[in-house]
Amino acid sequence: MNDAFKALADPTRRQIITLLKERDMTAGNIAAQFNISKPSISHHLNALKQAQLIVDERRGQHIWYSLNTMVLQEALGWLLDVIQFQHDKEG
């Protein structure tokens, strides 16, 4: 989960997650949404893959990226536990 939080600390990676929330996309589709180089997008995609926040799948000549919601759910569950613990402690 540490890798997930580290990856999510970057605003570009959060934007990529937001894009993939809507639909699966290729690296080219993702890169077209940003004003940064394709190698930079590739670096961000690799960081998200290493953190297991996204998965990739080859379809023909293209690699499609999609969200791995299980890791996102795990991170959200942990955050909710922290909030609930703080709430219980205060109440």
Side-chain angles (χ1 to χ4, degrees):
M1 193 169 18
N2 289 343
D3 290 339
F5 285 116
K6 182 178 177 183
L8 290 170
D10 185 277
T12 300
R13 294 179 193 145
R14 290 194 306 270
Q15 286 180 295
I16 292 170
I17 293 287
T18 300
L19 289 171
L20 293 175
K21 174 182 77 168
E22 300 299 323
R23 63 183 172 95
D24 294 357
M25 300 177 82
T26 66
N29 297 139
I30 294 167
Q33 305 297 314
F34 296 90
N35 192 21
I36 58 176
S37 69
K38 287 185 180 183
S40 291
I41 290 296
S42 180
H43 169 77
H44 289 297
L45 290 171
N46 283 329
L48 290 168
K49 280 177 33 180
Q50 289 294 327
Q52 300 179 358
L53 291 166
I54 64 172
V55 294
D56 60 353
E57 176 187 349
R58 180 169 290 281
R59 298 182 202 161
Q61 294 182 1
H62 299 284
I63 297 175
W64 287 79
Y65 294 90
S66 59
L67 288 181
N68 179 3
T69 56
M70 294 302 293
V71 173
L72 290 168
Q73 288 173 354
E74 181 182 329
L76 180 58
W78 180 82
L79 285 171
L80 290 173
D81 284 347
V82 170
I83 291 169
Q84 184 61 44
F85 175 78
Q86 186 63 31
H87 180 268
D88 291 348
K89 195 169 106 176
E90 292 172 355

